[in-house]
Structure formats: structure tokens, C-alpha cells
Amino acid sequence: MEFTTGGRLVVRITPQDQGKRVSVRHLAMTGERGEKFTDTVGVLTSWDAGVLSIVRRNGETVLVPEREMVAGKVIPAEPARRRGPAATFRELALVSARAWQPVESEELGGWTLRAAGGFTRRANSVLPLGDPGMPLADALAYARAWYSTRGLPTYVQTSTGAEGTQESLCVDLEKFGWIREVSAQLRIAALAPIGDLDADVSRVELSRSVGSDWLGRYQRTGTPGPHVLKVLESGPSTWFATVAAEEGGAPAAIGRCVVDGRWAGFMAVEVDPARRRAGLATAVMTALARQALSEGASAAWLQVEADNEGARALYDAQGFATHHTYHHFRHGSGRP
């Protein structure tokens, strides 16, 4: 990455560049072999008291003392097409929210407060896609009270790493003492290549409703209540895939897909640990992709935690690439 003009390192950013994507070269360490430098790329969220705060794509905040900066410049946002089908953060945030709907919700300006009896953070968190219509501290206090009346912890879902994501909100939440509890990647890909995979789909059964056999393999819930079924069966056009076990018992593999316009979202792809590496996950996704293609979808998305190496390898092979990273912040001991 070029930082120089006529062979000289140049700092071309100022505090007025807050909110922009920047690349900064700064001192990493000083030792017997001299000084070493590193480059940090991310959104400049603040430049206060001689310290730059830069949020990387994965949500990590890097603090760079101004005196340690040797070069810096504003860089354009990475084109979405390099990471799969053209898509904006807001489009994907709304599509993924429609695919996993809460039992109840309330609008707070541009925020949506969502609850589903505690079943998954996604259905029990604030989705902030705009201005809440009041100062941030007041909005967070309102959210805390709203979740408290339902006996639920307060989570805020944020995103980083794409144009229009919420790096500044992440920093503000951390300043208020909120704790980033989990992060995951939202990945996208072209749908047709998944449907074209040479997979044996003969044993994959598709259904519009979730059955007790499907739930027997699903690891995210114990005894499912009505709120769990409502979340799972929500979405514009929802399908459940099941591969029955040859010897009976819980299915060998399951999956869920929600078709929403051009998008097909894949969730809950799970395989019996004893049957892994037998192509069952690929068969489930291929069968669901073919159904989605028949309904006019052309692009795919899914969410995967960054430390799930097995799932990431499967999705890498199917052409999925990270569009942005999303995080769930839980209210901690700080205020508000």
C-alpha cells in the first residue's frame, strides 16, 4: 500500500476525516533491532487528546497515539462486488432480520427492539438501523427498561466492515461499558453455483413447517415452546430440509432456508457428528438452493461465527465471502 510522495512518508488524514475508512502506518514496537511498524486499516471513529481510534473490519478497536503515526491516508470503501453479489449493508441487515423474526417488536425511531422469549440473541436484541430519535444514552436506557420488563438481558446488534456499518456505535457502546459478547460473519455468494453442485440430494426432504424430527437434530433449543416455532417458521418463504437417519432417531442432517426476493438465506445447517465429512451438509444446501432458484432467487447469504472452522471451510468451498461482521453487545456494569 503506497504511503509515500517522492520517497517520503506522508500523513494525509486529519481529525476531520472521522467516519472515513483510513489506512495508518504506525509504530508497533521498539527493540534491539530498531523500530518496527504496522499498518491498521479501518474506520476512524475518533481523534481525541492525541489518540486515534480505528475500528477494523472484524470490530476490533485499535488505539494509535498520534506521535506513533508515520503515515496515513483515506481509502475508498471496498466494493461490495469483490465479496460476492452487489449488496449494501442495509439491504442485508433487513433481509437477515426478516429471515429470523421476533415474537414481538417495537420501533424506537430508526431502531427496532425485538424479543422472542430469549430464544437466540438475533431475535432478542436491538437492531439499530437509524437514529433512535433521542440521545444515545436515553435510547439505551429505554431499551434496558423494555427488555427488563420481559425478564431479558439487553443486547444491541451492530455491524462493522462495510460501507454504512456502525463502527462509531460500537465504540460508544464500549465507552458506556457494554460488552461485545459474540461476533459472526455475514457471508454472501452467487446462488446458482450452490444449486449446481454435484451432490446427492435424493435423501433430502423439504417441508414448509418444522417437525419434531427436525427439532431433534437442532442444537439451539431444548424443549421448544411456541416462541421458538414462531421464530423458526418466520420469513417470506421458509423451507426446512431433513436427511433422515438410516437407523432411525434424530435426522442425519438438517437445514433451513428463507427465500426473500433475490436472496436465499441459509441457517441451522447441522449434521450428526458421526456422519460429518460425508457430503450431507452440501446435499442439504444444494437441495435448498435449487428450491430457492425455482422461486427466482439469485444470491445467497448466511451467518457463521469466525471460530467455526469446519463451517467456514465448507462455505469457502461454495464461494461464500465475508460482506461484513456483526456483533452482539450486552449491557454490562457501566452506564447507561
Side-chain angles (χ1 to χ4, degrees), residues 80 83-99 127 129 157 159 162 186-189 260 262-265 299-303 321-324:
R83 302 192 297 276
T88 65
F89 157 67
R90 183 176 180 84
E91 177 186 8
L92 286 167
L94 291 172
V95 166
S96 60
R98 288 193 295 267
L127 182 64
L129 294 182
Q157 179 180 314
S159 296
L186 193 148
R187 293 184 164 205
I188 59 177
D260 185 353
R262 72 184 181 112
W263 290 102
W301 67 269
L302 52 78
Q303 296 162 321
T322 302
H323 182 277
H324 63 267

Side-chain angles (χ1 to χ4, degrees), residues 270-294:
E270 298 185 10
V271 178
D272 181 346
R275 299 294 307 279
R276 288 175 181 167
R277 296 181 176 84
L280 293 180
T282 299
V284 163
M285 293 191 65
T286 299
L288 290 170
R290 291 175 183 176
Q291 177 61 45
L293 286 164
S294 73

